[in-house]
Amino acid sequence: MQGFHIARTLLAMTALAAAAWTTVPSALAQQPPALAAITDSAERARVEALIEGAKKEGALSWIGVQIEPGHAEPIIAEFKRYYGLNDLKGEYTYAATGAIVTRVEQLLKAKRNNFDIVWNASWAWYKDLLKRGEIMQYESPHYAAYTLSDKHGMSQKGYWVADAYAFAPVYNTVALEKHGIKNFNPTSWKDFVDPRLTGQVALIDVLISTSAAPVLDGVVKVMGNDWLTALGKVKPTLHSKAAQGRDWVGSGEFAVAMFNSPKDALSLQQRNLPTKQVFPKEGVVLIPFAPIIPKSAPHPNTAKLFVDFVRSAYGTQAMMNAGSLLFFGRPGVKPKYPDVLPSSEEVKAIPFNWDTEATNATIKKFRDRVRAVGIGSKS
Amino acid sequence: MTLAQTVAHPLRIPLLRGHGFLIVAIIYAGLAVSVIYPLLAVFVQAFSEGAGLSIEKIQEVFTTPNIIEAVFNTLIISVLTVVMAGTIGVMLAWLVARSNMPLKRILDPLNMVPFYLSSVVGALSWQVIAAPRAGLLNSLFAPFFDTPPFNVYSVGGIALVLGLFYTPYVYLFTLGSLQSMDASLEDSARMSGASKLQTAIRITLPLSAPAILSACILVFVTAAGIFGVPLVLGVPGSVHTLSTLIYRAINEYPADFATAAILSSALFLFTAIFTVVQIMILRGRRFTTVTGKGYRPRQVDLGRWRWPAVGVNTLYLLFVIGPFIALLLVSFQDAWTGAFDWARLTLANYHKVIFVDAIAKRGLINSLFISTIGATIAVAVCMLLALVVHRTRLPGREGLSHLAMVPVTVPGIVLGLGFLIALITTPIYGTLWIIMIAYIVHYLPTGLRNSESLVQSVSRELDESARMSGATWRGAMWRIVVPLVAPGMVSMWLLLFVTYIREVSSSMMLFTFGTETISIALIQIMEYEPYGVSGAFGVLQTVLVLACVAFIRQVSSPRQSNA
Amino acid sequence: MHDARRTIPDASSQGVDVSNRSVAVKVERLVMSFGTVHAVGGIGFDVVPGSTVTLLGPSGCGKTTTLRCIAGLEMPTAGRITVGGHVVFDGENGIFIEPERRNIGMVFQSYAIWPHMTVGGNVGFPLAISGVPKRQAEERTRAVLDLVGLGELQGRSAADLSGGQQQRVALARALVHEPRVVLFDEPLSNLDANLRERMRTELQLLQSRLGFTAIFVTHDQEEALSLSDHIVIMNKGLIEQTGTPQDIFKNPETAFTARFLGYSNVFPGRLAAIGDAGSVAVDLGEGRRLSARWRSRSPPRQGADCTIAFRADRVALMPANDPAGGNAFPGVVETVAFLGTCFDYTITSGAVQVQAEGPVDHPVARGQAVSVAIAPEHCHAFAAED
């Protein structure tokens, strides 16, 4: 309800601002809200130059995951308004994490990259792009406020700061009751390897997904190897895409979807399905999720402005309000749906080093352990 | 047409003669670049690592447990699909062509409907009714079984959907062969003392065998390389096929082109060997069983089995169309909980795919563009090839038709990978044209076979007499042959159009953002949207294709279905 | 259309030889309709064992349909068919014996050789179906192939046989299971003239050796005349006339029969006078008048329209005004064609054009005035056609 309230306030402010413009002289009326907020003259000149460049470029092409097309549209609209880029043609392409990597890599290989913003959750790939010099160096002034991102080790100085999302369990109360499981009030990861759940658990395919494997690895680090063994005993069914787990737990095909993102939990809840999301007390692994500008971006000025926008206090809140259920890397963003998404300051994070604990070698080693407890084998 | 004749009439030198060699050479070069080069690119990628030969990598790939499992899955799926499509297709064709089954006039066109439907949408629909726990069928049978009886997320589920959707291929080929067969071949068996059943098994079936076998090759190769259905039904249950592993290899980070190429080569060898074996079986068995005498083939009286036969045919249609109805229901629900719920009735899903999701619209427009232009180009290319092969004496013309048949052995995903490897650094990559060319090449055999039989159906004397009346080669072809086969060309265009619209495998390898086809859009939407939204898009796609087909059939002459 | 005027319900009265009192095939009141079209309009005839009967008529006359009804390949609308004393079809009692249980052999016009089998496989098929032990079947196949002169082709693929070879294989296949009756649907029409002549003789030899009953269907009168013991002429689904070849050829009963058997002179006329013992006088107009024999079953009526027919080889060309030509009229030779064994003439006499044949040793020149003479017994008069 709080989120809703803030949205209303914002809306009112916007309306007021709009009303104010119509009354002020025309020279001032053309000044976009972004410039109005800047006091520092050097910064003002910098932004003005970027806006000039962006007006010439006229377009922004953005590819990403997590932020659904329906949520990206208001963000782009708000961005255009904020910088007065009315004629900008903004295009958002939504794709799965792996698909983004594949397609962007293919475009880079073909030297035909047409994306200005890549917003993915693939740490190793970003590091690789960085090494290959494919990422444009850019330090937005707003990066300084991304203290949580720095704290969790999700920032790359001069290139990006990150928000995060996390996988947490969702369960279907009707499906549980159908299988005779009542009074299921889980608080811990331990509750989700309950033997009574055997055959009722869907788990994202950690043998395939490069983002899910480290997440499970992180949980196992906190819970211990016995927990992994217990997980093997409930015989989880693996699924390749997150949406499958969401739909399965929603329709009651499975009683538990072990790894669900908050946005999926919200989508279930909004459709009045008998599902509940739990953030276990032991914590969750935060998956870094950052916008970068490829060096070959066709509209660099627009891209930089866009990064400024989505890292600013105003932009992050706009994103949250539009439905991007993220743990933002800066403090102060008010969660819009607190029951599926705790605030970034409150969420308990399992410490995880994406540089050392999510390498190909560690993932491979971990997958062998997963196979050893019988996960992924047909019985 | 002979050399002597041409010399005797110097004014009537056919255009092609002077430049004959050149034109044949250009066609050869075109085919080599579009057919052979991509395949070679896959092989080179498969066998080389850096500069050297990569035997170790190949060994490593083929000792990986889930790859071995995928090879077996692929084999089992292909075989089951062929057996199922073959059995049902032949049975239905026989019932329609040879028996007095009632309601044939209605059932015959309905049996072809699955041909126009996308098997990916079919897989999506089957998920709705046969998911192990929340599927409609399983909810229905739940009281009678301890464990859910139907599990669509399995090898059997994949083969079931493929079998259902590829039945029309066998049906169409067999029906054509049965309908054109000289009725006295069967009558004489009856006169020799054979019963109806004996005649069907010992005479009718063997005589149709070449047609049935060619349909089966097509279905086998397609099933072995098919990508969409295993992606939808196999991956959730961790049932992998070679095609899904190839896709995965390309979509991992870092992309493993070597593994993809090795698996593709293996898949290609697999389908090529089967095709060659079947061609060898067929060699010398292309009988001409058509005669001019106008007996309608005799209809076997099924007696009291007449209505049960209708039941069998209807059951097949139910298996195909039933799930679509379930999908239709799902598309009007805000969430699917295993049964239709009036409280969940909504139009939001349609609103989303029509107005919100840009990819849906893009996929639709792209597919219509590729299919319309592509089918037109393909018809022109195939007709030209057929005319060169059958209506000229140019050297090397037979080789052309053999070369153009090569893609019949190449699964779409392999061809797609070949195009990707070969063309990624060219300007054509990332455009709709690369996808269109891949389609044209992939279905060249279908088109060529069609256009060859069209050209052959026109008596040579018709265009020869045009030549004798003073027409050039081009004039004779353009004014005599082409108008005569025009209705057949419309059918052929429609066939290719529908085939292109449904294509998944090679597009999956070649699309980039902005060039998604309708099937890719569906798969992408299924990535993140709930059943209802994917269902709505599946329903829209199906309605659109059926409307296109109905419209074109209406516009072109109505009686051209078996040209 | 159900008019049974031309049916022959009782064989003995229609001159079919039934001396041994048994009948190989008996067709009674056979009707075959396709929708509202009657392909066969209620016909009947008998076939004596060991004889050859030919159904002769133009295409569409119902002869093939009749044959297919006997075979069991078509379900007749009404009537009765008996083969070898067994009723194989009876419309009233709802009897229909499936073709494979009628023990009839059949040679099809297209020969219907199964291209997916060997020659031996084709011929041995009926034996394999009836469960004859393999070795015995092979021997019998070999024997019948020898009989048709194809013994050495037993193992060859049937897909690449010549027309004549296919014909023999089809024949061998029809004979191998020793059927009582063998049906031939235009068996010689697909062969060239030389081969046809030879096959015709061979067929007759085979039949006399094996003694089967044969029913032919053909539209070729020459073939019918040379092969048959008995001919059934059909027209529009009905029987026009039956009889021995000589009988029919000499005494056509209808103008249709006459025309179909190659009577090249068929003219309309009027009955001028009626004499006794069937002799009539026919007025051909412009003073031309011929004496003729009345052939129709209905009695002649003075003054009624009629048709007169005579064969070209029965016409004698006399010098003009030769008093010897009693039954004659004058004309002028219009065309002359040399045919090797005879001359072919067209003589114009007013509105009438007469075809005539003349001996090679006495040619008549073009433009010459002649007298066209025909002996009255070779002039056939019929009631006028509808």
Side-chain angles (χ1 to χ4, degrees):
Chain A
M1 283 313 283
Q2 194 188 0
F4 182 60
H5 186 73
I6 289 176
R8 258 225 309 239
T9 318
L10 261 173
L11 211 73
M13 279 166 55
T14 314
L16 266 175
W21 290 335
T22 51
T23 55
V24 293
S26 60
L28 261 176
Q30 281 169 357
Q31 186 181 39
L35 288 176
I38 299 173
T39 47
D40 178 66
S41 66
E43 169 64 2
R44 189 186 181 86
R46 187 189 73 91
V47 174
E48 269 173 347
L50 284 178
I51 292 177
E52 267 328 291
K55 276 186 178 154
K56 279 187 201 119
E57 288 164 358
L60 175 81
S61 172
W62 161 28
I63 179 168
V65 66
Q66 279 295 318
I67 300 163
E68 292 193 3
H71 302 150
E73 249 169 62
I75 296 173
I76 291 178
E78 194 57 16
F79 165 63
K80 281 161 71 172
R81 193 192 65 76
Y82 198 63
Y83 288 100
L85 299 167
N86 299 328
D87 300 328
L88 182 92
K89 194 172 167 286
E91 207 174 51
Y92 176 61
T93 308
Y94 181 91
T97 312
I100 294 177
V101 177
T102 310
R103 298 298 151 180
V104 173
E105 280 294 329
Q106 280 172 11
L107 287 170
L108 291 176
K109 198 171 168 189
K111 301 207 185 316
R112 299 169 51 132
N113 171 46
N114 49 10
F115 290 114
D116 302 307
I117 299 288
V118 175
W119 201 332
N120 205 4
S122 178
W123 186 265
W125 181 52
Y126 274 20
K127 283 294 171 110
D128 195 29
L129 287 178
L130 188 67
K131 215 183 295 164
R132 281 153 48 200
E134 296 279 9
I135 303 180
M136 185 181 289
Q137 186 167 20
Y138 181 63
E139 176 90 22
S140 167
H142 301 286
Y143 283 6
Y146 259 67
T147 50
L148 293 172
S149 170
D150 299 343
K151 178 182 145 200
H152 294 303
M154 304 193 297
S155 305
Q156 181 69 40
K157 182 85 183 134
Y159 293 91
W160 72 76
V161 291
D163 308 316
Y165 65 94
F167 286 136
V170 168
Y171 62 95
N172 183 318
T173 50
V174 172
L176 282 170
E177 265 172 49
K178 215 165 104 188
H179 291 97
I181 305 168
K182 282 172 192 151
N183 305 320
F184 187 67
N185 295 309
T187 55
S188 159
W189 285 105
K190 206 178 266 170
D191 298 321
F192 291 96
V193 294
D194 188 326
R196 288 181 300 167
L197 293 173
T198 304
Q200 296 301 319
V201 175
L203 174 68
I204 208 162
D205 195 343
V206 292
L207 301 177
I208 294 178
S209 163
T210 38
S211 53
V215 170
L216 186 66
D217 194 8
V219 175
V220 172
K221 276 189 182 113
V222 180
M223 301 302 297
N225 206 44
D226 291 348
W227 185 82
L228 183 62
T229 312
L231 179 65
K233 289 214 174 100
V234 301
K235 295 193 168 59
T237 299
L238 300 181
H239 57 89
S240 63
K241 50 186 188 191
Q244 185 88 61
R246 174 199 66 199
D247 291 345
W248 272 349
V249 78
S251 69
E253 179 76 30
F254 287 90
V256 171
M258 192 67 99
F259 283 169
N260 245 273
S261 64
K263 78 170 166 91
D264 285 341
L266 177 67
S267 119
L268 291 169
Q269 210 176 62
Q270 283 179 333
R271 285 178 288 144
N272 299 317
L273 289 164
T275 54
K276 276 187 189 151
Q277 159 132 332
V278 182
F279 277 87
K281 61 184 181 201
E282 296 88 356
V284 290
V285 174
L286 294 181
I287 304 163
F289 178 58
I292 54 162
I293 307 171
K295 198 168 243 170
S296 47
H299 313 107
N301 291 304
T302 323
K304 284 174 183 167
L305 274 185
F306 187 72
V307 168
D308 280 357
F309 177 69
V310 295
R311 302 294 72 171
S312 67
Y314 182 80
T316 43
Q317 191 64 58
M319 281 180 71
M320 173 66 90
N321 294 344
S324 305
L325 299 194
L326 297 169
F327 296 110
F328 283 94
R330 65 185 297 152
V333 184
K334 294 274 181 298
K336 195 175 175 198
Y337 304 96
D339 38 345
V340 290
L341 187 78
S343 76
S344 310
E345 295 91 331
E346 287 162 16
V347 69
K348 180 165 168 132
I350 294 175
F352 196 83
N353 186 331
W354 285 91
D355 279 329
T356 58
E357 294 178 273
T359 63
N360 280 340
T362 51
I363 289 175
K364 191 165 183 292
K365 224 194 259 165
F366 177 66
R367 281 180 179 161
D368 289 340
R369 284 169 65 199
V370 169
R371 280 199 197 91
V373 299
I375 294 173
S377 66
K378 263 149 272 156
S379 48
Chain B
M1 289 283 272
T2 63
L3 193 64
Q5 255 180 332
T6 354
V7 172
H9 302 279
L11 290 176
R12 291 192 204 142
I13 290 175
L15 177 92
L16 272 184
R17 219 195 82 80
H19 312 288
F21 274 109
L22 191 63
I23 284 178
V24 171
I26 289 172
I27 298 175
Y28 265 107
L31 286 178
V33 167
S34 57
V35 177
I36 305 301
Y37 177 53
L39 278 179
L40 275 180
V42 172
F43 284 133
V44 168
Q45 178 76 255
F47 289 105
S48 62
E49 196 158 26
L53 221 64
S54 64
I55 302 298
E56 275 161 42
K57 178 77 184 174
I58 294 171
Q59 274 176 345
E60 183 200 313
V61 165
F62 285 105
T63 47
T64 311
N66 68 349
I67 287 180
I68 297 164
E69 197 184 297
V71 170
F72 276 105
N73 285 343
T74 307
L75 184 67
I76 295 167
I77 287 170
S78 313
V79 170
L80 283 180
T81 302
V82 166
V83 168
M84 192 173 155
T87 314
I88 303 176
V90 169
M91 187 175 68
L92 296 184
W94 186 85
L95 284 175
V96 167
R98 281 290 188 278
S99 81
N100 65 342
M101 178 173 72
L103 305 179
K104 272 198 290 197
R105 268 159 198 272
I106 305 167
L107 292 172
D108 177 30
L110 284 179
N111 287 339
M112 280 310 293
V113 166
F115 176 80
Y116 301 114
L117 305 179
S118 151
S119 56
V120 180
V121 182
L124 182 65
S125 323
W126 268 90
Q127 246 186 131
V128 174
I129 70 164
R133 294 164 187 83
L136 278 176
L137 278 181
N138 285 316
S139 333
L140 213 62
F141 285 100
F144 312 109
F145 295 93
D146 290 341
T147 53
F150 308 102
N151 180 7
V152 79
Y153 302 118
S154 63
V155 167
I158 296 169
L160 171 78
V161 173
L162 289 178
L164 289 172
F165 279 84
Y166 285 92
T167 293
Y169 284 85
V170 182
Y171 175 78
L172 193 65
F173 275 58
T174 312
L175 195 68
S177 143
L178 288 178
Q179 282 174 339
S180 63
M181 194 184 290
D182 179 2
S184 64
L185 289 168
E186 288 171 305
D187 288 346
S188 60
R190 300 297 300 282
M191 297 314 295
S192 301
S195 68
K196 291 171 203 169
L197 190 66
Q198 284 171 318
T199 305
I201 292 171
R202 301 186 60 160
I203 304 296
T204 317
L205 274 185
L207 284 174
S208 305
I212 297 172
L213 267 174
S214 352
C216 286
I217 296 176
L218 197 68
V219 172
F220 184 89
V221 172
T222 314
I226 199 134
F227 173 72
V229 176
L231 179 77
V232 176
L233 297 180
V235 173
S238 287
V239 176
H240 285 282
T241 62
L242 281 174
S243 57
T244 55
L245 287 187
I246 293 168
Y247 178 68
R248 199 171 97 187
I250 292 292
N251 280 282
E252 301 182 316
Y253 180 72
D256 190 351
F257 275 93
T259 300
I262 290 167
L263 292 178
S264 293
S265 305
L267 182 57
F268 172 63
L269 284 180
F270 179 75
T271 53
I273 287 169
F274 269 83
T275 313
V276 168
V277 166
Q278 294 187 64
I279 287 172
M280 297 221 302
I281 296 171
L282 277 179
R283 187 155 38 194
R285 299 199 61 186
R286 296 223 165 264
F287 330 118
T288 319
T289 54
V290 188
T291 62
K293 192 143 182 176
Y295 283 132
R296 284 172 305 172
R298 247 164 63 81
Q299 302 206 325
V300 173
D301 184 5
L302 295 174
R304 60 204 161 108
W305 295 103
R306 286 175 79 223
W307 287 101
V310 175
V312 168
N313 197 329
T314 313
L315 191 67
Y316 165 69
L317 292 173
L318 267 181
F319 264 71
V320 177
I321 296 164
F324 272 85
I325 294 168
L327 190 68
L328 191 68
L329 295 181
V330 169
S331 72
F332 287 106
Q333 295 273 277
D334 71 353
W336 185 247
T337 54
F340 192 79
D341 182 352
W342 283 105
R344 294 193 173 279
L345 192 68
T346 177
L347 282 172
N349 298 326
Y350 285 92
H351 177 264
K352 193 155 194 183
V353 291
I354 295 172
F355 298 108
V356 180
D357 265 355
I359 191 171
K361 215 178 302 168
R362 208 157 60 217
L364 201 76
I365 292 168
N366 286 345
S367 269
L368 285 178
F369 176 80
I370 297 176
S371 305
T372 312
I373 311 259
T376 310
I377 295 175
V379 168
V381 167
C382 292
M383 278 309 295
L384 181 69
L385 269 173
L387 288 176
V388 167
V389 171
H390 292 283
R391 288 299 206 266
T392 70
R393 307 248 158 120
L394 292 174
R397 63 188 187 283
E398 280 100 355
L400 281 179
S401 86
H402 293 310
L403 186 56
M405 282 295 164
V406 168
V408 99
T409 61
V410 187
I413 195 158
V414 177
L415 194 78
L417 181 67
F419 269 71
L420 181 65
I421 295 172
L423 299 175
I424 189 162
T425 51
T426 65
I428 197 174
Y429 174 75
T431 65
L432 291 175
W433 300 101
I434 189 173
I435 300 176
M436 191 190 293
I437 295 171
Y439 286 3
I440 294 174
V441 170
H442 190 194
Y443 296 104
L444 199 60
T446 315
L448 188 60
R449 244 194 301 236
N450 245 286
S451 57
E452 282 195 278
S453 71
L454 282 178
V455 169
Q456 283 174 303
S457 73
V458 176
S459 162
R460 256 177 186 276
E461 289 174 4
L462 293 178
D463 49 287
E464 278 168 355
S465 66
R467 299 295 300 285
M468 298 318 290
S469 312
T472 59
W473 182 87
R474 219 166 37 159
M477 295 305 126
W478 186 244
R479 296 177 56 175
I480 307 294
V481 182
V482 171
L484 281 172
V485 300
M489 283 165 70
V490 174
S491 298
M492 179 177 155
W493 188 91
L494 188 63
L495 173 86
L496 292 174
F497 175 82
V498 170
T499 312
Y500 292 173
I501 286 266
R502 293 171 324 184
E503 216 281 346
V504 184
S505 309
S506 58
S507 344
M508 203 66 207
M509 290 308 210
L510 295 173
F511 84 94
T512 49
F513 292 106
T515 65
E516 298 91 345
T517 65
I518 197 163
S519 307
I520 300 299
L522 177 62
I523 288 172
Q524 300 258 329
I525 286 175
M526 281 157 67
E527 276 290 327
Y528 57 93
E529 294 289 9
Y531 285 153
V533 180
S534 332
F537 191 52
V539 168
L540 278 183
Q541 179 178 341
T542 306
V543 169
L544 182 93
V545 171
L546 288 180
C548 280
V549 170
F551 174 73
I552 292 159
R553 280 229 178 284
Q554 200 68 43
V555 171
S556 63
S557 78
R559 282 279 91 202
Q560 278 300 331
S561 48
N562 293 315
Chain C
M1 281 303 271
H2 282 279
D3 184 358
R5 188 162 45 98
R6 292 290 179 195
T7 61
I8 314 160
D10 181 356
S12 59
S13 70
Q14 294 303 319
V16 174
D17 182 6
V18 285
S19 49
N20 63 2
R21 285 284 131 204
S22 70
V23 182
V25 176
K26 191 178 182 70
V27 174
E28 298 163 271
R29 301 177 308 280
L30 182 72
V31 177
M32 177 77 206
S33 315
F34 296 106
T36 55
V37 181
H38 298 279
V40 178
I43 65 165
F45 59 88
D46 289 4
V47 182
V48 171
S51 72
T52 303
V53 168
T54 299
L55 306 179
L56 176 66
S59 65
C61 73
K63 56 187 192 300
T64 298
T65 308
T66 305
L67 193 77
R68 290 170 64 82
C69 286
I70 297 172
L73 295 171
E74 303 282 355
M75 170 82 82
T77 313
R80 197 152 87 126
I81 301 171
T82 315
V83 176
H86 300 281
V87 175
V88 294
F89 172 75
D90 188 333
E92 270 169 45
N93 299 317
I95 297 172
F96 179 82
I97 305 293
E98 292 289 339
E100 67 269 21
R101 293 179 48 221
R102 295 188 180 193
N103 194 20
I104 296 176
M106 185 161 174
V107 177
F108 289 82
Q109 184 178 18
S110 64
Y111 309 134
I113 303 301
W114 302 307
H116 62 299
M117 297 180 179
T118 60
V119 168
N122 266 274
V123 175
F125 184 81
L127 301 176
I129 284 289
S130 57
V132 174
K134 214 171 167 201
R135 269 200 51 195
Q136 201 188 331
E138 253 167 51
E139 277 167 24
R140 281 171 65 182
T141 304
R142 175 76 194 191
V144 73
L145 275 171
D146 282 338
L147 206 58
V148 298
L150 292 180
E152 73 283 5
L153 294 186
Q154 189 158 3
R156 255 257 286 274
S157 161
D160 31 43
L161 294 174
S162 72
Q165 288 170 329
Q166 284 189 40
Q167 214 267 355
R168 284 157 201 257
V169 172
L171 184 62
R173 185 177 61 191
L175 295 177
V176 73
H177 61 312
E178 293 166 7
R180 291 165 294 191
V181 178
V182 182
L183 310 178
F184 296 87
D185 185 5
E186 308 250 9
L188 303 177
S189 66
N190 283 344
L191 302 179
D192 63 47
N194 278 337
L195 207 52
R196 202 182 310 175
E197 206 97 0
R198 247 180 56 205
M199 282 312 296
R200 208 185 283 163
T201 335
E202 279 182 34
L203 267 176
Q204 271 173 319
L205 279 171
L206 269 175
Q207 195 190 0
S208 63
R209 212 180 306 170
L210 300 174
F212 55 85
T213 306
I215 302 181
F216 278 85
V217 154
T218 182
H219 62 271
D220 179 347
Q221 38 112 356
E222 204 181 312
E223 195 175 304
L225 293 172
S226 64
L227 276 172
S228 325
D229 297 324
H230 217 84
I231 292 178
V232 176
I233 295 189
M234 292 185 68
N235 181 27
K236 294 178 182 160
L238 297 172
I239 292 176
E240 286 278 334
Q241 187 173 357
T242 65
T244 63
Q246 298 91 327
D247 204 23
I248 290 188
F249 197 66
K250 257 192 255 164
N251 302 314
E253 277 178 13
T254 65
F256 172 84
T257 308
R259 203 181 279 125
F260 198 75
L261 290 180
Y263 280 60
S264 38
N265 298 300
V266 182
F267 306 114
R270 214 170 48 78
L271 278 174
I274 296 168
D276 27 294
S279 85
V280 292
V282 177
D283 187 0
L284 288 172
E286 299 165 309
R288 286 178 293 271
R289 175 181 282 226
L290 288 175
S291 294
R293 292 276 180 273
W294 184 253
R295 298 295 183 193
S296 285
R297 294 183 186 190
S298 54
R301 268 188 308 114
Q302 178 127 17
D305 286 342
C306 69
T307 306
I308 187 167
F310 50 90
R311 291 197 336 246
D313 62 321
R314 294 298 189 189
V315 175
L317 297 183
M318 308 297 221
N321 308 318
D322 187 326
N327 204 28
F329 53 83
V332 177
V333 175
E334 192 92 344
T335 67
V336 181
F338 178 59
L339 296 184
T341 53
C342 63
F343 276 103
D344 192 60
Y345 302 103
T346 313
I347 297 107
T348 307
S349 170
V352 176
Q353 273 201 337
V354 177
Q355 300 294 320
E357 275 175 24
V360 278
D361 6 333
H362 301 100
V364 183
R366 231 180 99 198
Q368 199 167 325
V370 290
S371 170
V372 179
I374 313 107
E377 64 268 30
H378 296 136
C379 264
H380 309 281
F382 316 100
E385 292 171 297
D386 305 328

